[in-house]
Amino acid sequence: MSIINIALTGLNANRAGLDVTAQNVANVNTPGYSRQQAQFAAIGPSSALGTSAGNGVEVTSIRRISDEFVVRQTWATQSQASYSSRYLSNMSQLENVMGADSFNIAKGLDNLYAALNDASVKPESTPLRQQIISEADALTRRFNTLSESYYSQHKDLSEQRTAAVELSNSLLVNIADVNKRIVEMSSTNGNPSQLLDERDALIGQLSEMMSIKTNQQPDGSLQVTLASGQPLVLGDQASQIKAIPDPSDPYLADMEIDFAGQRFPINGDIGGELGAITDYQVETLLPFRQTLDEMAVAFADAFNNTLATGQDLNGNAGQPLFTYDPASPSSSLKITTLKPEELALSSDGTPGNSDVLTDLVGLSNQTFAITGYGNIAISDTFTAMVGETAIKARQVTSDAKAAENLNAQAISVKENLSSVNSDEEAANLMIFANAYQANMKVISTANNLFDTVLALF
């Protein structure tokens, strides 16, 4: 091969290097872009004779600077960070609710017992009896509003799950489509770098929704599964995630994967935002709702049973002050239509007798069997719930910060490896430009030699 042809290969190769560098510089601020690098290789001599230095240079490929292990670490830490962030958001909302004065059950009980104590001075007083009824009514509203707050958050979590499932299914379809395009481009020796960046970004978004695993395939596609093994994307085929409502509670759901007509139940932790939603509902919110219902039933029954042992000012047997629907006690708790004179505060109907009233006051120290708390007074149960919320919120906050730091570190490692360095690209521009000019100089020298030879004739 002539010296001119060798120089031409150098021109083409270094121009490719300049093109790659220009592409990197153009995308210096593009999120998720992985820098590229032209791979050069010498072209050997065309004959076995030792008098040939070779036939120049060629660009064998355009390399995308990325590390599969580093990228997987980014996805794994992203799943944990998203899980912790979503759980913390829900816990913070619960902590605000539990700390609100209008939801404070213990304070409502204190107000009612204070009214009972005030009435013990003059049990037959209509205004003092009316105060008891008023405080009882205020207490029921505290139960109602707190229960409604729990219910509202429970419903919101269901809506969050629905949105997360819809987003996840959209991402799965897009990942499968990019897989298909990568395989097609790779089969024609094209440069799929931009598609690989796009796929990484999509899987990164998916990892926020759930914990995933990936497996590189020989054809260039990426197999994506849940951490527990259920298929999500195989080649250009995508699964659909489904949330099947619980028959006993429409705002709870069983998760499953539908892949090509086959159903795979998701048993255990799904991770990411979807996992945080379910875990928070099952581990925190529903137990609190159950505890609140048990508190409402225990208190209302104890109060009503105590009233049943007395007589009102008219000598009639005691009637209940509280009523509720057993299916949802705390949300339905309310007072009956008892009038002040119908409160059975006396054991024998005598106006000045306050035996039953004394028993009602004694309920403040009576303990009840509450699931998860043992035998405990109603007021102390609520105080324990508030304390439990605060402790758990602090722990979740700590976990979220740790997960966020790990994710930030993983992202930093990935960016240091794959992101564009302006100084490095500036140096590459000079290197390739100088090499390009040098090859032009070789061509110019070859022309001069050719002209000199022609001048001899």
Side-chain angles (χ1 to χ4, degrees), residues 60-89:
T60 57
S61 65
I62 305 297
R63 177 191 174 200
R64 173 176 174 263
I65 307 301
S66 181
D67 184 278
E68 186 176 347
F69 174 78
V70 171
V71 174
R72 285 179 177 176
Q73 281 295 106
T74 303
W75 294 336
T77 56
Q78 182 63 59
S79 292
Q80 185 58 49
S82 296
Y83 176 95
S84 298
S85 177
R86 174 63 65 184
Y87 207 112
L88 175 59
S89 175

PDB file of all heavy atoms in Angstrom, residues 60-89:
ATOM      1  N   THR A  60     -11.736  -0.058  15.015  1.00  0.00           N
ATOM      2  CA  THR A  60     -12.397  -1.358  15.074  1.00  0.00           C
ATOM      3  C   THR A  60     -13.782  -1.282  15.701  1.00  0.00           C
ATOM      4  O   THR A  60     -14.660  -2.094  15.397  1.00  0.00           O
ATOM      5  CB  THR A  60     -11.545  -2.347  15.882  1.00  0.00           C
ATOM      6  OG1 THR A  60     -11.311  -1.799  17.203  1.00  0.00           O
ATOM      7  CG2 THR A  60     -10.211  -2.579  15.200  1.00  0.00           C
ATOM      8  N   SER A  61     -13.976  -0.305  16.603  1.00  0.00           N
ATOM      9  CA  SER A  61     -15.277  -0.174  17.257  1.00  0.00           C
ATOM     10  C   SER A  61     -15.338   1.143  18.021  1.00  0.00           C
ATOM     11  O   SER A  61     -14.312   1.798  18.239  1.00  0.00           O
ATOM     12  CB  SER A  61     -15.531  -1.338  18.236  1.00  0.00           C
ATOM     13  OG  SER A  61     -14.598  -1.304  19.306  1.00  0.00           O
ATOM     14  N   ILE A  62     -16.557   1.489  18.407  1.00  0.00           N
ATOM     15  CA  ILE A  62     -16.771   2.625  19.305  1.00  0.00           C
ATOM     16  C   ILE A  62     -17.165   2.046  20.653  1.00  0.00           C
ATOM     17  O   ILE A  62     -18.221   1.431  20.788  1.00  0.00           O
ATOM     18  CB  ILE A  62     -17.866   3.578  18.793  1.00  0.00           C
ATOM     19  CG1 ILE A  62     -17.542   4.053  17.380  1.00  0.00           C
ATOM     20  CG2 ILE A  62     -18.019   4.752  19.747  1.00  0.00           C
ATOM     21  CD1 ILE A  62     -16.285   4.864  17.260  1.00  0.00           C
ATOM     22  N   ARG A  63     -16.311   2.206  21.646  1.00  0.00           N
ATOM     23  CA  ARG A  63     -16.544   1.614  22.962  1.00  0.00           C
ATOM     24  C   ARG A  63     -17.342   2.568  23.849  1.00  0.00           C
ATOM     25  O   ARG A  63     -17.038   3.758  23.923  1.00  0.00           O
ATOM     26  CB  ARG A  63     -15.201   1.302  23.627  1.00  0.00           C
ATOM     27  CG  ARG A  63     -15.323   0.733  25.042  1.00  0.00           C
ATOM     28  CD  ARG A  63     -13.973   0.711  25.729  1.00  0.00           C
ATOM     29  NE  ARG A  63     -14.086   0.310  27.126  1.00  0.00           N
ATOM     30  CZ  ARG A  63     -13.170   0.565  28.039  1.00  0.00           C
ATOM     31  NH1 ARG A  63     -12.063   1.240  27.701  1.00  0.00           N
ATOM     32  NH2 ARG A  63     -13.348   0.173  29.287  1.00  0.00           N
ATOM     33  N   ARG A  64     -18.350   2.025  24.477  1.00  0.00           N
ATOM     34  CA  ARG A  64     -19.125   2.781  25.475  1.00  0.00           C
ATOM     35  C   ARG A  64     -18.506   2.523  26.841  1.00  0.00           C
ATOM     36  O   ARG A  64     -18.407   1.390  27.283  1.00  0.00           O
ATOM     37  CB  ARG A  64     -20.589   2.330  25.450  1.00  0.00           C
ATOM     38  CG  ARG A  64     -21.479   2.915  26.545  1.00  0.00           C
ATOM     39  CD  ARG A  64     -22.916   2.450  26.307  1.00  0.00           C
ATOM     40  NE  ARG A  64     -23.819   2.843  27.383  1.00  0.00           N
ATOM     41  CZ  ARG A  64     -24.169   2.041  28.389  1.00  0.00           C
ATOM     42  NH1 ARG A  64     -23.682   0.807  28.443  1.00  0.00           N
ATOM     43  NH2 ARG A  64     -25.000   2.460  29.326  1.00  0.00           N
ATOM     44  N   ILE A  65     -18.102   3.593  27.526  1.00  0.00           N
ATOM     45  CA  ILE A  65     -17.419   3.451  28.807  1.00  0.00           C
ATOM     46  C   ILE A  65     -18.447   3.214  29.912  1.00  0.00           C
ATOM     47  O   ILE A  65     -19.130   4.134  30.359  1.00  0.00           O
ATOM     48  CB  ILE A  65     -16.561   4.686  29.131  1.00  0.00           C
ATOM     49  CG1 ILE A  65     -15.622   5.005  27.963  1.00  0.00           C
ATOM     50  CG2 ILE A  65     -15.776   4.460  30.408  1.00  0.00           C
ATOM     51  CD1 ILE A  65     -14.664   3.877  27.610  1.00  0.00           C
ATOM     52  N   SER A  66     -18.577   1.978  30.317  1.00  0.00           N
ATOM     53  CA  SER A  66     -19.534   1.611  31.349  1.00  0.00           C
ATOM     54  C   SER A  66     -19.086   0.310  31.981  1.00  0.00           C
ATOM     55  O   SER A  66     -18.338  -0.464  31.378  1.00  0.00           O
ATOM     56  CB  SER A  66     -20.937   1.453  30.749  1.00  0.00           C
ATOM     57  OG  SER A  66     -21.883   1.109  31.740  1.00  0.00           O
ATOM     58  N   ASP A  67     -19.513   0.083  33.230  1.00  0.00           N
ATOM     59  CA  ASP A  67     -19.192  -1.149  33.939  1.00  0.00           C
ATOM     60  C   ASP A  67     -20.477  -1.760  34.459  1.00  0.00           C
ATOM     61  O   ASP A  67     -21.219  -1.125  35.210  1.00  0.00           O
ATOM     62  CB  ASP A  67     -18.233  -0.861  35.102  1.00  0.00           C
ATOM     63  CG  ASP A  67     -17.786  -2.127  35.809  1.00  0.00           C
ATOM     64  OD1 ASP A  67     -18.548  -2.626  36.665  1.00  0.00           O
ATOM     65  OD2 ASP A  67     -16.683  -2.611  35.504  1.00  0.00           O
ATOM     66  N   GLU A  68     -20.743  -2.996  34.049  1.00  0.00           N
ATOM     67  CA  GLU A  68     -22.001  -3.648  34.391  1.00  0.00           C
ATOM     68  C   GLU A  68     -22.190  -3.765  35.898  1.00  0.00           C
ATOM     69  O   GLU A  68     -23.282  -3.537  36.422  1.00  0.00           O
ATOM     70  CB  GLU A  68     -22.046  -5.038  33.747  1.00  0.00           C
ATOM     71  CG  GLU A  68     -23.376  -5.758  33.929  1.00  0.00           C
ATOM     72  CD  GLU A  68     -23.405  -7.094  33.195  1.00  0.00           C
ATOM     73  OE1 GLU A  68     -22.511  -7.340  32.364  1.00  0.00           O
ATOM     74  OE2 GLU A  68     -24.330  -7.889  33.467  1.00  0.00           O
ATOM     75  N   PHE A  69     -21.123  -4.093  36.626  1.00  0.00           N
ATOM     76  CA  PHE A  69     -21.221  -4.238  38.082  1.00  0.00           C
ATOM     77  C   PHE A  69     -21.560  -2.908  38.736  1.00  0.00           C
ATOM     78  O   PHE A  69     -22.412  -2.838  39.638  1.00  0.00           O
ATOM     79  CB  PHE A  69     -19.906  -4.771  38.646  1.00  0.00           C
ATOM     80  CG  PHE A  69     -19.870  -4.812  40.152  1.00  0.00           C
ATOM     81  CD1 PHE A  69     -20.512  -5.831  40.845  1.00  0.00           C
ATOM     82  CD2 PHE A  69     -19.218  -3.817  40.872  1.00  0.00           C
ATOM     83  CE1 PHE A  69     -20.493  -5.859  42.234  1.00  0.00           C
ATOM     84  CE2 PHE A  69     -19.192  -3.846  42.262  1.00  0.00           C
ATOM     85  CZ  PHE A  69     -19.830  -4.867  42.942  1.00  0.00           C
ATOM     86  N   VAL A  70     -20.920  -1.841  38.280  1.00  0.00           N
ATOM     87  CA  VAL A  70     -21.175  -0.509  38.848  1.00  0.00           C
ATOM     88  C   VAL A  70     -22.615  -0.086  38.598  1.00  0.00           C
ATOM     89  O   VAL A  70     -23.282   0.456  39.484  1.00  0.00           O
ATOM     90  CB  VAL A  70     -20.191   0.520  38.262  1.00  0.00           C
ATOM     91  CG1 VAL A  70     -20.583   1.937  38.672  1.00  0.00           C
ATOM     92  CG2 VAL A  70     -18.767   0.215  38.711  1.00  0.00           C
ATOM     93  N   VAL A  71     -23.104  -0.339  37.384  1.00  0.00           N
ATOM     94  CA  VAL A  71     -24.478   0.029  37.054  1.00  0.00           C
ATOM     95  C   VAL A  71     -25.469  -0.763  37.905  1.00  0.00           C
ATOM     96  O   VAL A  71     -26.454  -0.216  38.412  1.00  0.00           O
ATOM     97  CB  VAL A  71     -24.756  -0.200  35.551  1.00  0.00           C
ATOM     98  CG1 VAL A  71     -26.231   0.032  35.238  1.00  0.00           C
ATOM     99  CG2 VAL A  71     -23.900   0.729  34.707  1.00  0.00           C
ATOM    100  N   ARG A  72     -25.201  -2.038  38.109  1.00  0.00           N
ATOM    101  CA  ARG A  72     -26.089  -2.863  38.933  1.00  0.00           C
ATOM    102  C   ARG A  72     -26.111  -2.364  40.377  1.00  0.00           C
ATOM    103  O   ARG A  72     -27.153  -2.393  41.026  1.00  0.00           O
ATOM    104  CB  ARG A  72     -25.630  -4.330  38.890  1.00  0.00           C
ATOM    105  CG  ARG A  72     -25.966  -5.041  37.591  1.00  0.00           C
ATOM    106  CD  ARG A  72     -25.449  -6.469  37.637  1.00  0.00           C
ATOM    107  NE  ARG A  72     -25.815  -7.223  36.431  1.00  0.00           N
ATOM    108  CZ  ARG A  72     -25.418  -8.467  36.186  1.00  0.00           C
ATOM    109  NH1 ARG A  72     -24.638  -9.086  37.067  1.00  0.00           N
ATOM    110  NH2 ARG A  72     -25.778  -9.079  35.087  1.00  0.00           N
ATOM    111  N   GLN A  73     -24.966  -1.933  40.874  1.00  0.00           N
ATOM    112  CA  GLN A  73     -24.913  -1.386  42.230  1.00  0.00           C
ATOM    113  C   GLN A  73     -25.767  -0.128  42.336  1.00  0.00           C
ATOM    114  O   GLN A  73     -26.438   0.106  43.349  1.00  0.00           O
ATOM    115  CB  GLN A  73     -23.467  -1.054  42.608  1.00  0.00           C
ATOM    116  CG  GLN A  73     -22.649  -2.262  43.015  1.00  0.00           C
ATOM    117  CD  GLN A  73     -23.174  -2.888  44.302  1.00  0.00           C
ATOM    118  OE1 GLN A  73     -23.806  -3.956  44.277  1.00  0.00           O
ATOM    119  NE2 GLN A  73     -22.935  -2.243  45.420  1.00  0.00           N
ATOM    120  N   THR A  74     -25.741   0.671  41.295  1.00  0.00           N
ATOM    121  CA  THR A  74     -26.571   1.882  41.273  1.00  0.00           C
ATOM    122  C   THR A  74     -28.040   1.519  41.352  1.00  0.00           C
ATOM    123  O   THR A  74     -28.805   2.120  42.114  1.00  0.00           O
ATOM    124  CB  THR A  74     -26.299   2.690  39.992  1.00  0.00           C
ATOM    125  OG1 THR A  74     -24.916   2.999  39.910  1.00  0.00           O
ATOM    126  CG2 THR A  74     -27.100   3.987  40.001  1.00  0.00           C
ATOM    127  N   TRP A  75     -28.451   0.517  40.578  1.00  0.00           N
ATOM    128  CA  TRP A  75     -29.858   0.095  40.596  1.00  0.00           C
ATOM    129  C   TRP A  75     -30.244  -0.487  41.955  1.00  0.00           C
ATOM    130  O   TRP A  75     -31.327  -0.204  42.479  1.00  0.00           O
ATOM    131  CB  TRP A  75     -30.107  -0.937  39.490  1.00  0.00           C
ATOM    132  CG  TRP A  75     -29.964  -0.390  38.106  1.00  0.00           C
ATOM    133  CD1 TRP A  75     -30.097   0.917  37.728  1.00  0.00           C
ATOM    134  CD2 TRP A  75     -29.663  -1.122  36.912  1.00  0.00           C
ATOM    135  NE1 TRP A  75     -29.895   1.044  36.373  1.00  0.00           N
ATOM    136  CE2 TRP A  75     -29.622  -0.190  35.837  1.00  0.00           C
ATOM    137  CE3 TRP A  75     -29.417  -2.463  36.636  1.00  0.00           C
ATOM    138  CZ2 TRP A  75     -29.360  -0.571  34.531  1.00  0.00           C
ATOM    139  CZ3 TRP A  75     -29.154  -2.843  35.329  1.00  0.00           C
ATOM    140  CH2 TRP A  75     -29.127  -1.913  34.286  1.00  0.00           C
ATOM    141  N   ALA A  76     -29.369  -1.298  42.528  1.00  0.00           N
ATOM    142  CA  ALA A  76     -29.677  -1.927  43.818  1.00  0.00           C
ATOM    143  C   ALA A  76     -29.837  -0.883  44.919  1.00  0.00           C
ATOM    144  O   ALA A  76     -30.784  -0.935  45.715  1.00  0.00           O
ATOM    145  CB  ALA A  76     -28.583  -2.928  44.192  1.00  0.00           C
ATOM    146  N   THR A  77     -28.919   0.067  44.968  1.00  0.00           N
ATOM    147  CA  THR A  77     -29.003   1.106  46.003  1.00  0.00           C
ATOM    148  C   THR A  77     -30.168   2.047  45.736  1.00  0.00           C
ATOM    149  O   THR A  77     -30.750   2.594  46.676  1.00  0.00           O
ATOM    150  CB  THR A  77     -27.695   1.913  46.086  1.00  0.00           C
ATOM    151  OG1 THR A  77     -27.374   2.483  44.794  1.00  0.00           O
ATOM    152  CG2 THR A  77     -26.542   1.022  46.529  1.00  0.00           C
ATOM    153  N   GLN A  78     -30.534   2.208  44.456  1.00  0.00           N
ATOM    154  CA  GLN A  78     -31.684   3.046  44.128  1.00  0.00           C
ATOM    155  C   GLN A  78     -32.970   2.415  44.650  1.00  0.00           C
ATOM    156  O   GLN A  78     -33.857   3.109  45.158  1.00  0.00           O
ATOM    157  CB  GLN A  78     -31.794   3.249  42.619  1.00  0.00           C
ATOM    158  CG  GLN A  78     -32.942   4.146  42.172  1.00  0.00           C
ATOM    159  CD  GLN A  78     -32.797   5.555  42.697  1.00  0.00           C
ATOM    160  OE1 GLN A  78     -31.801   6.227  42.425  1.00  0.00           O
ATOM    161  NE2 GLN A  78     -33.776   6.025  43.453  1.00  0.00           N
ATOM    162  N   SER A  79     -33.083   1.090  44.540  1.00  0.00           N
ATOM    163  CA  SER A  79     -34.267   0.389  45.050  1.00  0.00           C
ATOM    164  C   SER A  79     -34.412   0.595  46.553  1.00  0.00           C
ATOM    165  O   SER A  79     -35.498   0.891  47.060  1.00  0.00           O
ATOM    166  CB  SER A  79     -34.173  -1.106  44.744  1.00  0.00           C
ATOM    167  OG  SER A  79     -34.265  -1.356  43.362  1.00  0.00           O
ATOM    168  N   GLN A  80     -33.305   0.446  47.276  1.00  0.00           N
ATOM    169  CA  GLN A  80     -33.345   0.597  48.722  1.00  0.00           C
ATOM    170  C   GLN A  80     -33.634   2.033  49.123  1.00  0.00           C
ATOM    171  O   GLN A  80     -34.400   2.295  50.062  1.00  0.00           O
ATOM    172  CB  GLN A  80     -32.015   0.141  49.338  1.00  0.00           C
ATOM    173  CG  GLN A  80     -32.000   0.143  50.855  1.00  0.00           C
ATOM    174  CD  GLN A  80     -33.090  -0.731  51.456  1.00  0.00           C
ATOM    175  OE1 GLN A  80     -33.254  -1.881  51.050  1.00  0.00           O
ATOM    176  NE2 GLN A  80     -33.844  -0.211  52.408  1.00  0.00           N
ATOM    177  N   ALA A  81     -33.039   2.984  48.393  1.00  0.00           N
ATOM    178  CA  ALA A  81     -33.275   4.396  48.702  1.00  0.00           C
ATOM    179  C   ALA A  81     -34.735   4.771  48.454  1.00  0.00           C
ATOM    180  O   ALA A  81     -35.339   5.517  49.236  1.00  0.00           O
ATOM    181  CB  ALA A  81     -32.349   5.283  47.866  1.00  0.00           C
ATOM    182  N   SER A  82     -35.316   4.259  47.378  1.00  0.00           N
ATOM    183  CA  SER A  82     -36.715   4.549  47.074  1.00  0.00           C
ATOM    184  C   SER A  82     -37.636   3.925  48.107  1.00  0.00           C
ATOM    185  O   SER A  82     -38.632   4.533  48.516  1.00  0.00           O
ATOM    186  CB  SER A  82     -37.069   4.034  45.677  1.00  0.00           C
ATOM    187  OG  SER A  82     -36.335   4.713  44.688  1.00  0.00           O
ATOM    188  N   TYR A  83     -37.307   2.702  48.517  1.00  0.00           N
ATOM    189  CA  TYR A  83     -38.092   2.030  49.563  1.00  0.00           C
ATOM    190  C   TYR A  83     -38.080   2.865  50.838  1.00  0.00           C
ATOM    191  O   TYR A  83     -39.135   3.159  51.423  1.00  0.00           O
ATOM    192  CB  TYR A  83     -37.512   0.645  49.834  1.00  0.00           C
ATOM    193  CG  TYR A  83     -38.190  -0.107  50.964  1.00  0.00           C
ATOM    194  CD1 TYR A  83     -39.219  -1.010  50.697  1.00  0.00           C
ATOM    195  CD2 TYR A  83     -37.817   0.081  52.292  1.00  0.00           C
ATOM    196  CE1 TYR A  83     -39.848  -1.708  51.723  1.00  0.00           C
ATOM    197  CE2 TYR A  83     -38.442  -0.594  53.326  1.00  0.00           C
ATOM    198  CZ  TYR A  83     -39.452  -1.486  53.039  1.00  0.00           C
ATOM    199  OH  TYR A  83     -40.082  -2.153  54.068  1.00  0.00           O
ATOM    200  N   SER A  84     -36.901   3.249  51.287  1.00  0.00           N
ATOM    201  CA  SER A  84     -36.764   3.990  52.541  1.00  0.00           C
ATOM    202  C   SER A  84     -37.430   5.360  52.453  1.00  0.00           C
ATOM    203  O   SER A  84     -38.059   5.821  53.404  1.00  0.00           O
ATOM    204  CB  SER A  84     -35.284   4.149  52.891  1.00  0.00           C
ATOM    205  OG  SER A  84     -34.667   2.896  53.083  1.00  0.00           O
ATOM    206  N   SER A  85     -37.285   6.010  51.307  1.00  0.00           N
ATOM    207  CA  SER A  85     -37.874   7.339  51.137  1.00  0.00           C
ATOM    208  C   SER A  85     -39.390   7.286  51.194  1.00  0.00           C
ATOM    209  O   SER A  85     -40.036   8.124  51.840  1.00  0.00           O
ATOM    210  CB  SER A  85     -37.415   7.933  49.801  1.00  0.00           C
ATOM    211  OG  SER A  85     -38.023   9.188  49.570  1.00  0.00           O
ATOM    212  N   ARG A  86     -39.978   6.293  50.509  1.00  0.00           N
ATOM    213  CA  ARG A  86     -41.441   6.162  50.515  1.00  0.00           C
ATOM    214  C   ARG A  86     -41.946   5.793  51.902  1.00  0.00           C
ATOM    215  O   ARG A  86     -42.945   6.346  52.376  1.00  0.00           O
ATOM    216  CB  ARG A  86     -41.863   5.097  49.500  1.00  0.00           C
ATOM    217  CG  ARG A  86     -43.361   4.771  49.512  1.00  0.00           C
ATOM    218  CD  ARG A  86     -44.197   5.961  49.132  1.00  0.00           C
ATOM    219  NE  ARG A  86     -43.964   6.378  47.773  1.00  0.00           N
ATOM    220  CZ  ARG A  86     -44.520   7.437  47.211  1.00  0.00           C
ATOM    221  NH1 ARG A  86     -45.336   8.200  47.924  1.00  0.00           N
ATOM    222  NH2 ARG A  86     -44.257   7.777  45.963  1.00  0.00           N
ATOM    223  N   TYR A  87     -41.259   4.888  52.582  1.00  0.00           N
ATOM    224  CA  TYR A  87     -41.677   4.483  53.932  1.00  0.00           C
ATOM    225  C   TYR A  87     -41.582   5.685  54.875  1.00  0.00           C
ATOM    226  O   TYR A  87     -42.474   5.918  55.700  1.00  0.00           O
ATOM    227  CB  TYR A  87     -40.795   3.341  54.436  1.00  0.00           C
ATOM    228  CG  TYR A  87     -41.475   2.434  55.439  1.00  0.00           C
ATOM    229  CD1 TYR A  87     -41.792   1.122  55.112  1.00  0.00           C
ATOM    230  CD2 TYR A  87     -41.821   2.883  56.710  1.00  0.00           C
ATOM    231  CE1 TYR A  87     -42.418   0.272  56.020  1.00  0.00           C
ATOM    232  CE2 TYR A  87     -42.457   2.055  57.624  1.00  0.00           C
ATOM    233  CZ  TYR A  87     -42.747   0.756  57.279  1.00  0.00           C
ATOM    234  OH  TYR A  87     -43.387  -0.066  58.183  1.00  0.00           O
ATOM    235  N   LEU A  88     -40.507   6.455  54.750  1.00  0.00           N
ATOM    236  CA  LEU A  88     -40.324   7.631  55.608  1.00  0.00           C
ATOM    237  C   LEU A  88     -41.413   8.669  55.364  1.00  0.00           C
ATOM    238  O   LEU A  88     -41.931   9.265  56.314  1.00  0.00           O
ATOM    239  CB  LEU A  88     -38.952   8.253  55.345  1.00  0.00           C
ATOM    240  CG  LEU A  88     -38.653   9.569  56.075  1.00  0.00           C
ATOM    241  CD1 LEU A  88     -38.755   9.386  57.580  1.00  0.00           C
ATOM    242  CD2 LEU A  88     -37.283  10.092  55.685  1.00  0.00           C
ATOM    243  N   SER A  89     -41.776   8.869  54.112  1.00  0.00           N
ATOM    244  CA  SER A  89     -42.837   9.825  53.794  1.00  0.00           C
ATOM    245  C   SER A  89     -44.137   9.439  54.473  1.00  0.00           C
ATOM    246  O   SER A  89     -44.842  10.287  55.044  1.00  0.00           O
ATOM    247  CB  SER A  89     -43.032   9.876  52.268  1.00  0.00           C
ATOM    248  OG  SER A  89     -44.119  10.704  51.926  1.00  0.00           O
TER     249      SER A  89
END
